[in-house]
Amino acid sequence: MLTKRLIACFDIVNGRVTKAVGFQDNIDVAPAEELAETMYDAQIDELIFYDITASAEKRAIDIETVKKVARRVFIPFTVGGGIKSLGDMYEALKAGAEKISVDSMAVRNPEIISEGAKAFGSQCVVLSTQVKRTGKMPSGYEVYIDGARLATGMDAAEWIRRGQELGAGEICLNSIDNDGALSGYDLALMKLAEKSLSVPLIASGGAGKPEHLKELFTVTQAQAAIISSMLYSPRLSLNYTVRELKDYLLGNGISMRPPSGRGKEAAI
């Protein structure tokens, strides 16, 4: 049985983590490097960092914040936002990232996926895709870009299939409809996606309680789950710890990396 992964996702604005609902009304949480260290100590498996305004503002990724976060964590660290070229990928990797996420730019220039995979290896390239249930596409889901602001007219299932063919080593699929809603993942979307993929699928959008993670890992073949609101959303009166989530999943037969001897959490 493959070990499942829990991934903390940071939506970065001006070096700080924010939290949104449906990609709107972002509220401030904490400095990115401080929350990254907290999540590392708490035994999170991986971290994804999105500079969410870089593409819309047509600028490069906030490389200084990438460096600050990379100094604090020693787990797989993916970064995205404002990645337009192999040079941008190289700078992010040099700054401490282990993987590069491409999203809006990949839609505009799909060859960046294959170029990145050829230069750095498929394991370094993650295709992140924001999709919405519009009913206009054959799959029912449409791809959006620029922070979920712009509809592309592209079918989600066809796009992730093409991304895999171009060399993406992982697909991160986010439901705009479920994002921040705490109502659970869009399981129909994930089951649709897994039919098109042989590379790992990361599910994103909607986790609000441990049962949602259990359901995702039981009902679908997703290898990893993004959790944000559950861990640190100021909108919630009670947040879960990574240890609580892992203990719950392990107790329900889900294969997870158990809490290790790393970080402050290990001493508890």
Side-chain angles (χ1 to χ4, degrees), residues 27-190:
I27 57 176
D28 184 75
V29 178
E33 66 273 19
E34 291 181 10
L35 188 57
E37 185 171 15
T38 297
M39 290 295 100
Y40 173 73
D41 287 340
Q43 310 283 302
I44 199 72
D45 294 313
E46 297 190 21
L47 178 65
I48 292 182
F49 164 130
Y50 294 126
D51 186 337
I52 61 172
T53 59
S55 293
E57 294 173 358
K58 296 180 171 51
R59 60 170 173 79
I61 194 168
D62 180 354
I63 206 72
E64 290 307 312
T65 302
V66 173
K67 291 178 181 178
K68 289 178 182 178
V69 170
R71 294 187 194 110
R72 302 282 190 103
V73 301
F74 304 95
I75 50 176
F77 174 36
T78 302
V79 303
I83 303 293
K84 300 182 178 66
S85 66
L86 282 181
D88 290 339
M89 290 184 175
Y90 175 73
E91 288 301 317
L93 292 169
K94 187 170 70 172
E98 290 192 8
K99 294 184 274 189
I100 303 299
S101 169
V102 288
D103 186 339
S104 301
M105 183 50 61
V107 169
R108 293 186 169 99
N109 175 27
E111 293 307 313
I112 196 172
I113 301 173
S114 53
E115 291 168 0
K118 182 177 180 181
F120 308 113
S122 290
Q123 78 283 353
C124 283
V125 182
V126 179
L127 175 61
S128 293
T129 305
Q130 324 302 324
V131 307
K132 191 171 186 178
R133 194 184 305 108
T134 64
K136 298 178 182 178
M137 304 295 118
S139 70
Y141 295 89
E142 184 173 359
V143 175
Y144 278 64
I145 58 174
D146 292 345
R149 298 177 184 87
L150 180 65
T152 64
M154 296 170 60
D155 182 80
E158 178 56 34
W159 172 232
I160 61 172
R161 185 182 305 114
R162 186 181 179 199
Q164 175 181 265
E165 291 171 352
L166 286 167
E170 287 183 296
I171 304 295
C172 182
L173 189 57
N174 188 35
S175 166
I176 297 170
D177 302 293
N178 291 39
D179 182 75
L182 309 176
S183 57
Y185 296 94
D186 186 335
L187 300 178
L189 172 62
M190 301 308 158

